[in-house]
Amino acid sequence: YKKENYTTRMAKTRRPVSPHVTIYSFPICAISSITTRVTGCVLSFGAAGVGLVEIFGGNGAALSLMQHIGSGGLGGVGFLGAGAIVAGAKFSVAFPFAYHYLGGLRHLVWDGKPEMLTNVEVEKASYALFGGSLLLGSLAAVL
């Protein structure tokens, strides 16, 4: 019995297998929690990437690269294409930063007011966090 794989053992029981994570609908609170962790990782890898560009490219290389991308000086890309790339680059930095920062503020509020940790309030805060982060990220992308 122990030498059989999981699928074979479960087939012998003739019972349905529990729903897999791919068909389970996560609540907004779980998605918000996962997104906070993902944005933290994205920010860490982004900071490491900027550091590596600076280390291997020499003093000022990261700043020069960011100024080049920000100015839209991307060879071979039309004006509208360059604008979209610049806006996308700004959003890809601004959204994770805004989301992770606002998520941290949300947790500070919850630490000070634990009575706000009800299912309804947490769900509202999760929607507000997504909305606020999208708004701030979008504003930063068009500035």
Side-chain angles (χ1 to χ4, degrees):
Y1 182 78
K2 289 184 179 182
K3 292 183 180 182
E4 295 175 340
N5 68 20
Y6 179 79
T7 305
T8 306
R9 288 194 317 262
M10 290 299 107
K12 286 182 179 180
T13 64
R14 297 181 189 219
R15 293 182 302 211
V17 179
S18 297
H20 192 266
V21 74
T22 58
I23 63 168
Y24 177 72
S25 177
F26 284 104
I28 188 69
C29 307
I31 295 170
S32 176
S33 177
I34 293 166
T35 305
T36 300
R37 288 165 173 75
V38 169
T39 56
C41 290
V42 167
L43 291 169
S44 296
F45 282 112
V50 168
L52 287 172
V53 167
E54 194 68 17
I55 288 170
F56 292 111
N59 190 20
L63 177 61
S64 176
L65 176 64
M66 287 185 268
Q67 287 174 337
H68 183 70
I69 293 171
S71 69
L74 304 166
V77 178
F79 177 73
L80 292 176
I85 291 172
V86 170
K90 288 181 179 180
F91 184 81
S92 70
V93 172
F95 175 78
F97 184 80
Y99 193 92
H100 204 73
Y101 183 77
L102 293 176
L105 291 179
R106 177 178 69 166
H107 276 273
L108 281 175
V109 170
W110 285 345
D111 289 344
K113 296 183 177 262
E115 63 272 7
M116 293 180 72
L117 278 172
T118 64
N119 288 341
V120 173
E121 290 298 319
V122 171
E123 187 174 341
K124 285 181 189 176
S126 295
Y127 281 115
L129 178 58
F130 276 110
S133 300
L134 284 170
L135 178 68
L136 289 174
S138 299
L139 285 174
V142 296
L143 293 179

